[in-house]
Amino acid sequence: MPEQRATSPYDALLLLSFGGPEGPDDVVPFLENVTRGRGIPTERLKEVGQHYFLFGGVSPINEQNRALLDALRKDFAGHGVDLPVYWGNRNWAPYLTDTLREMAADGRRRIAVLATSAYASYSGCRQYRENLADALATLAAEGLEPPRVDKLRHYFNHPGFVRPMVDSVLASLADLPQDVRAGAHLAFTTHSIPVAAAGTSGPPEAHGDGGAYVAEHLDVARLIVDSVREQTGVDHPWRLVYQSRSGSPHIPWLEPDICDHLETLHGEGAPAVVMAPIGFVSDHMEVLYDLDTEATAKAAELGLPVRRSATVGADPRFAAAVRDLVLERAATERGRAVERCALGALGSSHDLCPVGCCPARAPRPAAAGADSPHA
């Protein structure tokens, strides 16, 4: 195989995602998986699950992952990259442990892992690495030889992730009534997390003042705003805001919430808003409910024109970016010097999560890091 298409030492790619229910009977068991160990009673889970029941108990995330799998396989085949692609979830079928068991049975020994989370945070990176470590330990306990796993770097600023979002924001702006389009504000949304968790996200040198989590989102937002300005000639006001807060109300989480922000903009006389969910790779329940349902209803109540731009999903440019990330990491593992694609001020992320990166409240083993076996 030509050097530019060589995937060695990797013999497979694992798409690792969160998972979601695919019918009403799945909702409570899915939420039990998500909240395992927290002692949340079933009746409370049924209340939380109402968001899912509004949509027939089906989260779109699994179907979006199937579309991404198809896009990845087509992209790899079309560019001569001979690498099988598997899929496993943290919280619903196909479960990560089952997929790794299948991969081990298929003889896969060195696996590149793409998590469907583009940014640094405990829940978006280290928790996936902990799940990998747990699954590999299960395989070892069953007498199987666990494969080695390497998590691909954060791709928040890869052109193949950013440019589809730029196009989606432009499309949403174009869909607004012409008389409010030029004055529209851009609200870049991502999942709120505890302030303390944000402050320790990323490598230790990035800790404090929102950590890498906030810095990375701000960098992407600036990239999109700059691109929109270049293509339209309009400098839209913007802000990074948050959604999907959960947990105890006495614990500080990142703010402002998108609905509060819409109220503020309305009070300030903003003519329209585009909500751009840059923190999410694909549509899932929090996008469908918190933005398309709750925030859109708040905007209607205020009489504020609002549009929600699309997530990246299975855009062919994102599939091409994944191919680039795999080949980049493979070449690096072979000792080759490679040029890393990254836009913005922060540069490309690390390959190997360093010690102290996105620490957990209680230390747990995590794969694919500097503090992991075989690192």
Side-chain angles (χ1 to χ4, degrees):
M1 178 181 292
E3 176 66 25
Q4 65 269 24
R5 290 179 288 165
T7 59
S8 173
Y10 299 111
D11 52 21
L13 172 68
L14 169 62
L15 175 65
L16 176 56
S17 194
F18 192 82
E22 300 197 80
D25 293 341
D26 297 345
V27 172
V28 171
F30 163 74
L31 292 173
E32 287 174 340
N33 289 339
V34 173
T35 61
R36 193 174 304 282
R38 301 183 201 173
I40 299 176
T42 300
E43 289 308 310
R44 174 58 182 152
L45 294 179
K46 288 179 180 178
E47 293 176 18
V48 173
Q50 291 307 311
H51 295 178
Y52 291 92
F53 293 129
L54 287 174
F55 297 88
V58 179
S59 168
I61 191 170
N62 277 2
E63 194 56 40
Q64 293 240 337
N65 279 323
R66 292 184 185 99
L68 180 55
L69 274 175
D70 185 60
L72 290 172
R73 288 165 177 158
K74 287 178 178 176
D75 179 90
F76 285 11
H79 291 84
V81 174
D82 184 15
L83 194 70
V85 186
Y86 296 74
W87 169 35
N89 290 324
R90 285 169 49 182
N91 298 299
W92 201 248
Y95 288 103
L96 170 60
T97 302
D98 294 336
T99 300
L100 283 174
R101 191 180 291 114
E102 176 189 358
M103 297 176 84
D106 289 346
R108 311 303 178 191
R109 304 305 316 140
R110 185 87 180 264
I111 299 166
V113 180
L114 177 82
T116 55
S117 176
Y119 301 86
S121 71
Y122 170 74
S123 57
C125 182
R126 185 175 179 90
Q127 192 169 15
Y128 281 100
R129 294 175 48 226
E130 291 175 353
N131 296 146
L132 283 165
D134 289 344
L136 294 171
T138 297
L139 265 61
E142 294 172 352
L144 300 173
E145 183 179 356
R148 174 170 169 176
V149 297
D150 291 336
K151 182 177 176 291
L152 298 175
R153 67 176 171 92
H154 299 301
Y155 46 84
F156 63 93
N157 57 2
H158 194 288
F161 186 67
V162 175
R163 286 173 182 153
M165 292 190 290
V166 171
D167 289 350
S168 295
V169 170
L170 288 168
S172 292
L173 285 167
D175 192 48
L176 284 168
Q178 189 169 2
D179 60 335
V180 299
R181 189 179 304 153
H185 286 237
L186 306 180
F188 296 102
T189 78
T190 190
H191 205 301
S192 184
I193 61 175
V195 170
T200 57
S201 57
E205 60 269 21
H207 291 179
D209 196 25
Y213 186 74
V214 171
E216 290 169 0
H217 282 86
L218 287 173
D219 205 38
V220 171
R222 292 187 191 102
L223 285 167
I224 295 173
V225 169
D226 289 347
S227 293
V228 169
R229 183 193 310 113
E230 290 169 6
Q231 297 187 53
T232 66
V234 179
D235 193 6
H236 290 273
W238 65 276
R239 184 166 184 179
L240 177 64
V241 300
Y242 303 92
Q243 62 174 91
S244 313
R245 180 195 163 124
S246 61
S248 176
H250 73 273
I251 297 175
W253 283 53
L254 293 173
E255 296 177 336
D257 176 78
I258 178 61
C259 289
D260 294 337
H261 184 58
L262 292 176
E263 288 189 342
T264 298
L265 290 180
H266 175 66
E268 294 173 349
V273 180
V274 168
M275 303 182 294
I278 62 171
F280 307 98
V281 173
S282 66
D283 288 4
H284 49 59
M285 190 51 59
E286 288 166 329
V287 174
L288 289 189
Y289 183 80
D290 295 344
L291 295 184
D292 294 354
T293 304
E294 192 173 48
T296 299
K298 171 59 69 174
E301 173 190 318
L302 297 168
L304 181 64
V306 68
R307 298 291 186 273
R308 195 269 285 181
S309 65
T311 52
V312 173
D315 190 290
R317 289 168 292 182
F318 181 46
V322 175
R323 167 170 41 90
D324 179 66
L325 291 169
V326 170
L327 296 177
E328 167 199 290
R329 181 65 181 273
T332 300
E333 292 297 316
R334 296 196 305 272
R336 305 284 187 179
V338 293
E339 183 176 351
R340 295 168 174 251
C341 288
L343 302 173
L346 298 180
S348 61
S349 185
H350 48 262
D351 280 340
L352 199 65
C353 289
V355 175
C357 192
C358 304
R361 285 175 293 179
R364 290 182 56 199
D371 55 356
S372 308
H374 309 299

